[in-house]
């Protein structure tokens, strides 16, 4: 059994987390809360994280690797939220 903390959110599978982050970025762009530059940077970070996950998965995910990916997905999701709330407004064309 994996140790857990009372404040930890339930674990989501990687596909659910990827979909959630993609939705967050897409919604931020649609609503104008993310600029193109912010969205591009976030998508680049997302792509890097997906490459890392692919590299880790080649030998099967260890507990340490899963924990590392969880931490990185959490951090990216927090960056998306922070960028969406930083009051920079995307210009509409």
């Amino acid at each position: 059994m994996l140790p857990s903390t009372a404040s930890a959110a339930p674990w989501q599978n990687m596909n659910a987390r990827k979909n959630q982050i993609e939705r967050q970025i897409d919604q931020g762009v649609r609503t104008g809360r993310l600029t193109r530059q912010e969205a591009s940077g976030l998508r680049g970070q997302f792509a890097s994280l997906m490459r890392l996950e692919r590299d880790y998965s080649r030998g099967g995910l260890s507990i340490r690797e899963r924990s590392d990916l969880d931490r990185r997905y959490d951090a990216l999701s927090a960056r998306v939220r922070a960028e969406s709330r930083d009051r920079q407004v995307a210009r509409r064309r």
Side-chain angles (χ1 to χ4, degrees):
M1 181 181 285
L2 292 174
S4 64
T5 62
S7 63
W11 185 82
Q12 291 180 308
N13 74 40
M14 295 299 170
N15 287 331
R17 296 192 76 172
K18 288 186 274 193
N19 291 336
Q20 177 184 2
I21 291 170
E22 285 179 315
R23 279 192 311 271
Q24 285 177 301
I25 294 171
D26 290 343
Q27 182 179 15
V29 170
R30 270 194 319 277
T31 62
R33 297 184 118 197
L34 288 176
T35 66
R36 286 183 208 212
Q37 186 174 2
E38 289 170 332
S40 178
L42 291 166
R43 285 185 174 124
Q45 293 170 20
F46 183 59
S48 293
L49 183 51
M50 289 178 54
R51 282 191 298 276
L52 178 63
E53 182 182 349
R54 183 191 65 227
D55 292 346
Y56 278 173
S57 296
R58 285 190 178 137
L61 285 175
S62 69
I63 292 172
R64 184 187 63 75
E65 291 167 335
R66 183 180 301 263
S67 177
D68 182 46
L69 288 171
D70 277 339
R71 182 183 54 77
R72 290 172 188 257
Y73 276 116
D74 286 344
L76 179 56
S77 185
R79 277 193 294 274
V80 173
R81 284 191 307 277
E83 292 287 349
S84 294
R85 295 179 181 143
D86 68 1
R87 299 195 186 270
Q88 291 181 14
V89 179
R91 295 181 188 195
R92 300 281 180 171
R93 289 188 176 218

